[in-house]
Amino acid sequence: MSTTYKVPIGPVHVGLKEPVTAWLTLDGERIMDAKLRLGAIHRGIEFMARERNPIQVIYLSERICGICSFSHVLAFIRAIEDLSAIKVPPRGQYIRSLVLELERIHSHILWSGVACYSIGFDSAFHLGMEMRERVMDLLELLTGNRVNYGVATFGGVRWDITPEFAKATRDMIKFYRREFTPFRDIVMEDPIAQARMRGVGVLTKEEAVRYSAVGPVARASGLRVDLRKSSPYEAYSDMPVEPVVPQDYFGAAHGDVLDRFAVRVLEVYQSLDLLEKILDGLPDGPFVAETNLNKVLASLKKAEGVGWGIIEAPRGDDTHIVSLKGGEDNVLWWKVRAPTYASAVSWPLMFRGNELADAPLIINSLDPCVSCMERTLTTNAHGDSNIITKQELIKRCREKTDTLRARGGETR
Amino acid sequence: MFTRIFQQLFKNLFSNVATNPFPAVHMPPSLTDALSNPDAIKPPIPVGERFRGKLRYDRAKCIGCKLCMRVCPANATDFVPEEKKIIIHNDKCCFCAQCTEICPVKCLTMSGEFAMSSYDRKGNITKDSGAAVAGA
Ligand code: SF4
Ligand code: SF4
């Protein structure tokens, strides 16, 4: 008689922010094996983009993710700029970097709060949420809204930094340097929090390389990877960014949840330093290359080719590849590879040997953005999914067309 | 065991409330009734200067050039060919303000209004909101 049980976590679960299902094979309380089942939140955004022009797709790309929305927008915009050779003035580049760093702070603080919630440390969760408000206020001051800022556009940004905003940012930097440290210490020095996070959800350095983990997950396993250093974009070419790895701070990288917590928390401080440098070095001049949107649309209509945009989002590398066709208004095709997708491959490894109660924490430790990740969905008429090859797909399409034709109906 | 959190909790005893208070003084017996009586509601914190809320549309100024429709990501604007004017479906609008930027006569502006959810889709269409009031 088998002594293992299969238990699903999700798709709807109190510990999860987004729908994802983990089927866990349990021996008692220990997780022996894990299978991830995705596909609950696929939205077909790329398909929608094919009936929209690049300016419209900016706002569509913003809706891929609510938390790292600016990263997606920027990756998309950089892809279009790559193919159409639009130049961004230096001030525009600096403002973009500034919003990226603000977004990173907001995302990491939000995650740190939620991680505390996942281990049942609600006081720290509320503290984290309170901390986050300050950077949200700042984003609201610059862009008008708290999420989906709508601040980026082709060739620069839409709104400039005012002296008032610069002062508010410096105040915020001071505030976080003073107030964020207690939050960090409260969690990292707490013996219970340590016990819940140390040695849980381990991903070794070798595994992180083999399964191509990205962003804070890879860094927590000790890999020095950061696109802001290895392929600098926007203002990062003017300022060195050192990847935050736990071995530099604590002597060794364990690759567990506590290390992921530490990396994200330390990156908040790094972002504060970067913000200061961005404000100090903010060049004068225009912040957008072309303000006449009609001209932008006309030049994009002529553009043709494939463009790439890769940036370091709060969760890791975010890649967008876009193709435009000359003479066409709309985007020809668009491929998004969100960071969670790369890191999700290592999810099942992280579960091995852990306890069932830690499963939501392990899922959350990736800072998963499931709706970013779900870019394709395969399904059949019965609602379950199976994979078909391209040839098979074409064959089925033809068969379907033939049956429709035979019936004498419309082919669409 | 005295851990670091107790220091913070003690500090919190003497600090201000971090959140905006609940809209009403006491939990009312019926929320729907309470919300229809604006006097009883504590005002929400004001929105920022650059806030992008419900669109205002100055119909008289509009020249019917359809440029706003070209850039609208949500296809929230519809053209009325007989009148050469547009209507705005507020339930579709995603508040990107792209149309206000491209409009050659600047007859579209973003207001600070944000509470606009309703059960009535047809009633949530802006046909004309008159000339923009400065500072509104
Ligand atoms: S604000 Fe954006 S979504 Fe709304 S009507 Fe204007 S362009 Fe369309
Ligand atoms: S862009 Fe302005 S003028 Fe042109 S149709 Fe739209 S609202 Fe009217």
Side-chain angles (χ1 to χ4, degrees), chain A residues 52-53 56 59 63 123 127 142-145 148-149 158-160 162 179 182 186 190 293-294 297 329, chain B residues 1 3-5 8-9 11 18 48 50-52 67 69-73 75 94 96-98 101-102:
Chain A
R52 285 169 167 79
N53 63 41
Q56 292 172 309
Y59 301 96
R63 267 105 192 137
S123 324
L127 199 60
L142 176 68
T143 67
N145 291 37
N148 294 339
Y149 321 116
R158 287 168 75 193
W159 297 292
D160 197 6
T162 56
E179 299 286 330
I186 281 170
D190 191 273
L293 291 173
N294 288 313
L297 275 177
D329 277 331
Chain B
M1 181 171 46
T3 52
R4 184 69 180 69
I5 185 81
Q8 184 71 31
L9 294 179
K11 202 174 130 202
R50 286 177 174 170
F51 182 77
R52 288 167 278 135
L67 282 176
M69 298 174 65
R70 249 193 106 193
V71 290
C72 179
N75 298 332
C94 68
C96 64
Q98 201 61 257
E101 253 173 45
I102 202 167

Side-chain angles (χ1 to χ4, degrees), chain A residues 174-284:
Chain A
K174 267 193 226 126
F175 170 83
Y176 276 134
R177 291 220 169 107
R178 191 179 64 235
E179 299 286 330
F180 191 62
T181 314
F183 171 74
R184 179 192 69 184
D185 295 346
I186 281 170
V187 184
M188 297 199 55
E189 288 173 10
D190 191 273
I192 300 171
Q194 279 180 3
R196 282 297 308 271
M197 298 202 276
R198 182 53 87 205
V200 170
V202 176
L203 186 74
T204 63
K205 196 171 177 179
E206 291 69 35
E207 287 164 347
V209 174
R210 190 171 336 130
Y211 297 105
S212 67
V214 293
V217 178
R219 291 195 280 275
S221 295
L223 294 177
R224 282 175 206 279
V225 288
D226 194 324
L227 284 176
R228 291 175 293 172
K229 183 184 165 76
S230 51
S231 85
Y233 48 91
E234 309 300 354
Y236 298 120
S237 29
D238 298 348
M239 49 196 79
V241 182
E242 274 308 314
V244 176
V245 280
Q247 63 262 41
D248 290 355
Y249 295 87
F250 313 109
H254 296 82
D256 54 11
V257 180
L258 192 63
D259 271 357
R260 276 169 224 143
F261 189 92
V263 165
R264 292 200 175 96
V265 164
L266 291 166
E267 278 183 17
V268 170
Y269 291 97
Q270 184 191 37
S271 292
L272 293 176
D273 294 344
L274 284 171
L275 279 178
E276 223 162 34
K277 280 188 198 144
I278 290 169
L279 284 178
D280 289 341
L282 193 68
D284 288 331

Side-chain angles (χ1 to χ4, degrees), chain A residues 45-46 49 57-65 68-83 227 306-313 316-323 331 333-339 372 375:
Chain A
I45 284 192
E46 287 90 338
V57 178
I58 297 180
Y59 301 96
L60 199 57
S61 63
E62 198 160 52
R63 267 105 192 137
I64 290 178
C65 178
C68 50
S69 65
F70 189 71
S71 306
H72 281 288
V73 172
L74 199 59
F76 171 74
I77 286 182
R78 284 182 60 79
I80 292 277
E81 283 167 359
D82 178 31
L83 79 88
L227 284 176
V306 177
W308 290 62
I310 308 176
I311 62 167
E312 180 78 27
D317 320 6
D318 185 13
T319 313
H320 283 227
I321 311 163
V322 187
S323 174
V331 169
W333 53 258
W334 173 32
K335 160 102 178 85
V336 180
R337 193 251 213 176
C372 294
R375 306 265 50 106

